[in-house]
Amino acid sequence: MPGWFHAGDSFIARLVLQRGLGVAYFIAFAVALEQFVPLLGERGLLPVPRFLERVPFWRSPSLFHFGYSDRLLKLVAAAGMALSLAIVLGLPDRWPALLNLALWLVVWALYLSIVNVGQTFYGFGWESLLLEAGFLAAFLGPAWTAVPAPIIWLFRWLLFRLEFGAGLIKMRGDRCWRDLTCLYYHHETQPMPNPLSWYFHHLPKPLHRIEVLGSHFAQLVAPILLFLPQPVATVAGLVMAVTQSWLVLSGNFAWLNLTTIVLAASALGGARFSHPGGAIVGWHDALVLAVTALVVALSWRPARNLFSRNQMMNASFDPLRLVNTYGAFGSIGRERAEVVVEGTSDELITQDTIWREYEFRGKPTDPLRRPPQWAPYHLRLDWLMWFAAISPSYAYPWFVPLLRKLLRNDRAILRLLRRNPFPDEPPRAVRATLYRYRFTTWRERRETGAFWARTRLGEYMEPLITPRREPAMA
């Protein structure tokens, strides 16, 4: 192969990409191990067996088409965690190139099998992002081989689509992105605020406008610079990493920011990063060429989507999720609605009924509770509760089953919550109430200690009542 085919200055980039993606995969499999069965298992809110009955393999490839069980799911998740940990520890760097490739493809295939049956609970852009990045990482080769430059460029192409797509979605979407006012609201109305979000929300408005300008530069200018000579590309990658770190400080976005920071390492290069060339493996180079040709061919629709007036975000154009389109927060809510789930032990539901609130791990419920830090871990149920407040019809298929399980004190579901107000016996009835939440002011915080102030908007879902048991006949 010609000299340009191997990137001697990308040794550090490969190291960061592989180890960083290993961390992200480890977290993703850990989330599946804890949360998949209660949400999607045989007795979950959206059971996978029902999904498999109506969706053919070719539309959603997954090993679970050959048979699903909760035990198998846990085995897949545990295996994924073990293999991901091996990557993080650098064990495959000592292996033959073929075995290294096989390991990465197994990790990718296991997670693809989970995502492709995950339905609404796996409908987040960072699922496809992790799969696309993991597929590319499979062809980087172990540490003792030369770094294939085409794969590094494909990583930059992925980073470009991720950031540039997000920037275009914003400019085509809400006017507040163009007049620089979106962050007057976003820190308060984002899906899951973190411990610092209250403070970010109360920054002076001129700083919020600077935040938006910084976002526009990182998403609309820096991505173009990725394809310029060094050190310009390195600087562009660092700009993106810094802006993503700012998002880490201000919100909970699962492993999206972590993965983006890792992808930014693909921009590192130049004399300072040069490293003696590794061994050249002929068959591996040939495979890299084939994979590069495949990704280029599959990139046509995502590239066309970037410049479409009807730009889609977080969409996959092939069932293997090899090349995808990304974007987020094209519109920003000005007010925050929250669904609060409540239960009662009262036999008769009246205006005087005492309702007790269920508390979720991450989403706001108790106004006195500081928003917690969970990212890069992902609370799937909490995130969907944010969407539920925006669109009841979107949430109905899984929200009603959730309430029914709470009526039975379902242990699996209750383990996904922070507090069950009925630890001894199930409630007699459960309901959902819609509130408007806002961050307290500095003065309110000093006087009450609360992070949130809330106002009841009305009933979200009428009470579901446990059927009475008739006494047994003598």
Side-chain angles (χ1 to χ4, degrees), residues 125-139:
W126 47 76
E127 317 293 358
S128 295
L129 177 63
L130 188 55
L131 286 167
E132 183 172 350
F135 179 77
L136 293 179
F139 304 95

Side-chain angles (χ1 to χ4, degrees), residues 311 387-388 399 451 467:
Q311 180 188 358
F387 288 105
F399 190 74
F451 288 87

Side-chain angles (χ1 to χ4, degrees), residues 190-213:
Q190 64 180 304
M192 196 185 303
N194 76 352
L196 297 181
S197 299
W198 187 92
Y199 301 96
F200 274 87
H201 177 69
H202 289 296
L203 289 174
K205 288 187 175 180
L207 286 181
H208 285 316
R209 298 171 75 87
I210 292 174
E211 282 185 278
V212 178
L213 280 173

